[in-house]
Amino acid sequence: MDVINQVNAIETWYDHHKRDLIFRQTKDPYQIWVSEVMAQQTQIKTMLPYYNRWIEQFPTIESLANGHIEQVLMLWHGLGYYSRARNLKKGAEYVMEYYGGTMPHRYDDLLHIPGIGPYIAAAISSIAYDQPITPIDGNVNRVVARFNAMVQSLGSSTFKKKVVETTTQWMNHAHPSVFAQSLMELGALVCTPKNPKCDHCPLNQWCHGQTDPTDYPKKKIKAKVPVYCYKVTIYECDHQIALVKPPYADHLMEGYYRLPMESMVEPVNTSYTIKHIYSHLIWQLYGQTIKVVDKDPSYIWVDIDTLIHDYPLVIAHKKLLKKLYTHS
Ligand code: SF4
């Protein structure tokens, strides 16, 4: 019963508070497609004049498919992310070729059109064709995460599953076209990232996250990458540098040679420092040069230029040598 009441509350709220947006007044799948593509990465008030000009110039899929790419890009000029415009044109050509200019009705068929992903396919399916598929974007994720006070981190598979589960329950009792737009609008106007207006929210009597809404959705906590500090000694003799051979105790970059280095607990003041980031750890290197008269035979001695430009030396040490000898 609660689910039905929640859906009614959201749809009623939308009926009273929705913005007067021209692309919300159409059931034309092509126009919905264009509006959703434009609204990605662009604010609604910015995209509106572009949308109007676009629809005036390319009112149908056929007109877009037959239009010149220069004209398409010109109409997009100022919106950025031009691949969106190119994909719209490619998509229109695809619909002309495979569907005779009529957008397919099946969600799975929509996904085959260039530039249409799950979100836009769901927006077209629900808004144009009244199919119970919720378009899930950042706004919807936020509303659902707060509504359920979800502990799952944003983007995780358990998070996505819970959002789909909640929106599907709602959708099963909703008017799909109205509900899809209601949820988007609720996220954009009421359940905003900062300062959500919980007092005016149609979901507030059921919402579990309203005491601390900005705690949701939970961000993924990145594991802290350990930092290892090393003193690296550059022994130089006759324009050659001393190297040590693998294997190494840490087994990192085993096929590559290294300069002699030793672990440090505390950083020291040396002339050359380099920070090198590997996928799972960071090397903080402190270099010092020592000119020697005799070459210690326990090392391999290699010409400096060869080392810098053409030698299997670990990249972090190569960076250190470049800094020292080429000042780059
Ligand atoms: S009550 Fe507040 S936190 Fe909950 S859905 Fe509404 S605006 Fe978002």
Side-chain angles (χ1 to χ4, degrees), residues 19-297:
R19 288 170 291 182
D20 185 19
L21 301 171
I22 188 158
F23 54 82
R24 295 276 184 246
Q25 293 158 16
T26 180
K27 297 282 266 184
D28 180 334
Y30 163 66
Q31 295 187 9
I32 291 162
W33 176 20
V34 173
S35 68
E36 291 298 338
V37 171
M38 279 191 177
Q40 287 181 333
Q41 286 130 352
T42 307
Q43 290 195 338
I44 299 288
K45 70 172 189 295
T46 308
M47 63 152 280
L48 274 175
Y50 286 88
Y51 174 81
N52 290 332
R53 282 196 294 271
W54 184 283
I55 295 299
E56 207 177 290
Q57 203 72 41
F58 300 125
T60 60
I61 290 176
E62 187 175 7
S63 58
L64 176 57
N66 293 335
H68 290 291
I69 187 68
E70 292 76 19
Q71 196 185 2
V72 167
L73 295 176
M74 207 176 71
L75 279 171
W76 203 269
H77 184 70
L79 279 177
Y81 301 100
Y82 285 82
S83 58
R84 292 183 292 167
R86 289 196 186 91
N87 280 336
L88 268 171
K89 176 155 169 57
K90 269 192 223 158
E93 289 164 1
Y94 182 94
V95 175
M96 285 307 295
E97 185 175 347
Y98 294 98
Y99 296 99
T102 304
M103 291 287 276
H105 279 231
R106 289 183 60 241
Y107 173 83
D108 288 345
D109 292 336
L110 288 166
L111 284 176
H112 285 114
I113 299 173
I116 293 190
Y119 172 77
I120 291 182
I124 295 171
S125 301
S126 56
I127 301 171
Y129 303 137
D130 263 309
Q131 292 170 9
I133 305 170
T134 310
I136 297 170
D137 65 353
N139 283 333
V140 174
N141 277 333
R142 189 170 55 253
V143 172
V144 176
R146 289 173 176 173
F147 177 79
N148 291 317
M150 282 167 58
V151 292
Q152 298 88 339
S153 49
L154 180 67
S156 64
S157 55
T158 48
F159 180 95
K160 290 178 188 166
K161 198 169 154 210
K162 183 71 184 166
V163 172
V164 169
E165 192 183 292
T166 305
T167 53
T168 305
Q169 276 179 354
W170 279 334
M171 259 302 185
N172 287 339
H173 300 280
H175 303 91
S177 177
V178 176
F179 188 74
Q181 296 175 84
S182 311
L183 216 46
M184 293 173 181
E185 201 76 336
L186 189 67
L189 300 181
V190 175
C191 197
T192 46
K194 289 179 191 159
N195 307 317
K197 303 165 191 70
C198 299
D199 289 347
H200 302 284
C201 177
L203 286 176
N204 60 12
Q205 60 175 299
W206 301 281
C207 178
H208 295 279
Q210 65 180 295
T211 45
D212 41 14
T214 52
D215 274 4
Y216 306 97
K218 300 283 185 201
K219 304 270 185 313
K220 196 174 173 187
I221 300 164
K222 284 189 189 158
K224 213 171 167 213
V225 180
V227 179
Y228 295 97
C229 297
Y230 293 103
K231 183 173 86 181
V232 179
T233 308
I234 300 158
Y235 293 109
E236 186 186 330
C237 180
D238 295 337
H239 205 67
Q240 290 195 323
I241 301 289
L243 301 182
V244 288
K245 274 198 276 188
Y248 312 114
D250 59 13
H251 301 293
L252 194 66
M253 306 289 291
E254 278 288 23
Y256 289 76
Y257 291 86
R258 294 183 182 184
L259 298 164
M261 66 180 199
E262 57 187 283
S263 295
M264 295 163 50
V265 180
E266 292 281 323
V268 288
N269 261 343
T270 56
S271 322
Y272 310 104
T273 62
I274 285 286
K275 184 179 181 180
H276 189 75
I277 301 169
Y278 291 100
S279 57
H280 57 301
L281 56 86
I282 295 173
W283 274 7
Q284 182 72 47
L285 306 180
Y286 299 86
Q288 62 167 0
T289 308
I290 299 179
K291 298 210 181 212
V292 292
V293 181
D294 298 316
K295 290 179 184 167
D296 181 340

Side-chain angles (χ1 to χ4, degrees), residues 283-324:
W283 274 7
Q284 182 72 47
L285 306 180
Y286 299 86
Q288 62 167 0
T289 308
I290 299 179
K291 298 210 181 212
V292 292
V293 181
D294 298 316
K295 290 179 184 167
D296 181 340
S298 64
Y299 293 124
I300 298 165
W301 293 85
V302 179
D303 182 78
I304 293 171
D305 298 324
T306 309
L307 263 185
I308 290 175
H309 297 112
D310 184 26
Y311 204 82
L313 178 69
V314 288
I315 193 83
H317 290 176
K318 205 170 262 203
K319 275 159 68 175
L320 201 62
L321 290 180
K322 275 189 182 170
K323 193 164 184 178
L324 176 57

